[in-house]
Amino acid sequence: MVSSFNGSQFIKKSVVSCKSFCEVNGSLFTRGQFRGYSSAKVPEDKPVFTEDELKNARKDRLENLGPFVSKLPQKWIPYAELMRLEKPVGTWLLYLPGTWAITMAAIQTSASLGATVWMLGLFGLGSLVMRGAGCTINDIWDKNLDDKVIRSVERPIASKRVSTKNASIFLVAQTVVGMGVLAQLPAQCWWMGLASLPIVFTYPLFKRFTYYPQIALSACFNWAALLGFPAMGIMDWSTMLPLYTGSFLWCMIYDTIYAHQDKAFDVKAGIKSTALAWGKNTKKISTVLATAQFSLFTIAGINAGLILGPGFIGGLAIFAYRVFTMIKNVDLNNPADCWKYFTSNIKTGLYFSYALFFDYLLTLLGFL
């Protein structure tokens, strides 16, 4: 019996059985299990989506183009999709930390209303353009991964509606516009703005070799929390650093929730994320991160002299309530619920922006 045992055939069958189990129970994958499967070096066939799945993906894409993108000339639409103009949530989340920094700095420097609004507008344009550039970079790097996830199979490059060459040319154009926006800021902002570009251009690579690509994303996505201060003529590191670090932790939380949408597909495609690394501990870890986030925001408020402002106190309380409620209530095994709570962060951040701007107006009027 020993001589007739085919060890390699047994191992092959065992690995295939394990793979089948894990595909059905993707949400149960732990980091160790995923690494074990990866090290087995089993050839991963490209998933073949059914015609109905592809048809529904195409239908969803067309239905969600929105009132602006859908009215663009047909040749422009794929490039608008490269920038994710039809999905502004990323632009808002990139923009919001900058609004906090600009408004806090405006309060500290008693900046004029015109100068503050102008800078908020510049950062808004910069967020739109650079978020678009970041998404284009992501799609170029991920062109052979996006077609393995049903949610991204209709992206312009993955669906062959835009070539890699044309996407690269479009990326250069967006980067030039972004540099033009940066040039409108004070000279002391230039080196700080340029310092973020290496992370922006390499972020998509992190998901290939680490379970923590969210660290790279959070590092560059909240850069405006630093940039907003020198943009208003002040370099207050005692406020800038805790505000940036707290914003970083906020991004780690909401982007991990975002990553839980695709965890079953990510396992098959070999994509890594904190959703897979943290698994069932996501809520516990996120609660710890949120506690640190609001402690850091409180330190930023104290150092900036804003801690007694009614807007800061009320806004931070609303911010904390919404984040902790999100962590408690989100169903991490329900992609639709993950998306709902992920997008809710726009309102969460905007409430804090409005609250800080309220304190700024009180300062201008001499009440603070």
Side-chain angles (χ1 to χ4, degrees):
M1 288 183 67
V2 174
S3 61
S4 64
F5 174 73
N6 189 329
S8 61
Q9 191 174 33
F10 173 77
I11 293 171
K12 182 178 179 181
K13 288 181 178 179
S14 299
V15 170
V16 171
S17 298
C18 176
K19 180 183 177 185
S20 299
F21 169 79
C22 294
E23 288 177 354
V24 174
N25 299 278
S27 63
L28 299 181
F29 248 83
T30 65
R31 180 171 55 175
Q33 288 170 323
F34 181 67
R35 285 175 173 164
Y37 166 57
S38 297
S39 64
K41 301 186 184 301
V42 180
E44 295 187 21
D45 295 327
K46 176 181 175 180
V48 178
F49 300 112
T50 66
E51 284 298 321
D52 284 342
E53 287 176 320
L54 292 173
K55 183 178 178 180
N56 288 334
R58 194 169 299 114
K59 180 182 176 183
D60 288 344
R61 176 179 66 80
L62 293 173
E63 288 179 349
N64 290 296
L65 287 179
F68 171 70
V69 174
S70 62
K71 291 181 172 60
L72 293 174
Q74 286 299 311
K75 290 184 178 181
W76 294 12
I77 289 178
Y79 294 93
E81 290 179 84
L82 268 180
M83 294 182 70
R84 306 289 196 274
L85 292 183
E86 81 285 9
K87 296 177 180 176
V89 57
T91 301
W92 277 111
L93 293 175
L94 180 64
Y95 177 54
L96 286 167
T99 68
W100 307 335
I102 291 169
T103 309
M104 291 175 75
I107 294 172
Q108 289 179 278
T109 60
S110 299
S112 69
L113 181 61
T116 303
V117 171
W118 167 250
M119 200 54 66
L120 288 170
L122 271 182
F123 270 58
L125 177 59
S127 297
L128 178 69
V129 173
M130 293 313 296
R131 188 258 180 153
C135 290
T136 303
I137 294 167
N138 185 79
D139 285 8
I140 291 172
W141 282 116
D142 287 356
K143 61 184 179 181
N144 295 321
L145 294 177
D146 283 342
D147 60 358
K148 296 175 175 63
V149 179
I150 194 64
R151 189 175 57 81
S152 58
V153 74
E154 274 291 302
R155 285 179 178 171
I157 301 177
S159 61
K160 311 298 183 185
R161 290 180 293 126
V162 174
S163 67
T164 303
K165 178 182 177 180
N166 287 345
S168 299
I169 294 171
F170 186 55
L171 171 61
V172 171
Q174 292 175 89
T175 304
V176 170
V177 175
M179 293 303 98
V181 173
L182 183 62
Q184 303 304 307
L185 303 180
Q188 58 185 331
C189 294
W190 297 349
W191 66 267
M192 187 177 288
L194 293 173
S196 68
L197 291 183
I199 311 175
V200 173
F201 278 84
T202 58
Y203 153 69
L205 297 176
F206 284 76
K207 69 186 77 172
R208 290 163 170 78
F209 63 83
T210 176
Y211 283 87
Y212 292 87
Q214 279 71 23
I215 290 178
L217 177 70
S218 299
C220 62
F221 222 66
N222 295 282
W223 209 257
L226 296 174
L227 199 61
F229 286 86
M232 296 301 292
I234 183 174
M235 291 287 282
D236 179 8
W237 289 104
S238 67
T239 302
M240 292 162 62
L241 290 178
L243 181 66
Y244 171 76
T245 309
S247 301
F248 173 96
L249 296 177
W250 180 48
C251 187
M252 287 289 294
I253 295 167
Y254 68 64
D255 201 62
T256 297
I257 291 173
Y258 177 86
H260 270 278
Q261 294 179 101
D262 299 325
K263 56 191 174 185
F265 291 106
D266 287 349
V267 166
K268 298 177 187 179
I271 300 171
K272 299 175 175 64
S273 72
T274 46
L276 292 173
W278 297 349
K280 64 182 181 180
N281 294 316
T282 293
K283 292 195 175 190
K284 292 179 181 178
I285 296 172
S286 295
T287 299
V288 173
L289 295 183
T291 302
Q293 173 195 342
F294 293 109
S295 297
L296 287 163
F297 278 6
T298 301
I299 293 171
I302 292 171
N303 291 343
L306 307 180
I307 194 63
L308 298 180
F312 184 86
I313 295 172
L316 194 62
I318 294 171
F319 201 157
Y321 171 77
R322 287 179 62 87
V323 169
F324 283 111
T325 299
M326 172 183 69
I327 294 169
K328 178 183 177 182
N329 293 338
V330 63
D331 181 353
L332 296 174
N333 294 316
N334 183 334
D337 208 48
C338 290
W339 176 255
K340 181 185 78 171
Y341 279 103
F342 169 69
T343 57
S344 74
N345 285 279
I346 297 176
K347 287 185 178 179
T348 298
L350 276 174
Y351 291 149
F352 193 47
S353 298
Y354 297 151
L356 289 174
F357 200 78
F358 176 70
D359 278 354
Y360 169 64
L361 292 177
L362 291 179
T363 301
L364 287 183
L365 295 171
F367 294 109
L368 278 181

